[in-house]
Amino acid sequence: DMNRIKQDIDSAASDILRETVLSCRLVPFGAERVLSYLVANEVEMGNLELSLSAIANGIDRDITLSRLRREYA
């Protein structure tokens, strides 16, 4: 179904971004460090929002865990 395809594309894009940001964390100085921090912060806030919404709406834990994005740290 269309929602599953959208979720798969979003997950793949998130994984690509995660790999790029992880390589940026190896740079000791520069804008890459700031970008890495900002992306990690955005993912963390998104996961928090998803978790709180799932709790408020009584969504199954397994479904919620499958939609959480992996951390960048």
Side-chain angles (χ1 to χ4, degrees):
D1 85 337
M2 200 61 150
N3 287 332
R4 183 66 184 165
I5 292 171
K6 181 184 177 293
Q7 183 180 357
D8 289 344
I9 291 172
D10 188 43
S11 177
S14 179
D15 288 343
I16 291 169
L17 180 62
R18 180 180 180 274
E19 293 300 321
T20 303
V21 169
L22 284 175
S23 67
C24 288
R25 291 188 71 103
L26 300 175
V27 177
F29 302 102
E32 291 90 349
R33 299 290 290 191
V34 176
L35 176 65
S36 175
Y37 171 77
L38 292 174
V39 170
N41 194 29
E42 181 179 333
V43 168
E44 187 174 346
M45 294 303 291
N47 283 343
L48 179 62
E49 181 181 352
L50 179 65
S51 298
L52 292 175
S53 295
I55 290 170
N57 294 310
I59 297 174
D60 185 49
R61 183 173 189 237
D62 292 331
I63 294 172
T64 304
L65 287 175
S66 72
R67 294 189 180 177
L68 288 177
R69 294 187 179 181
R70 296 176 64 189
E71 296 205 19
Y72 288 80

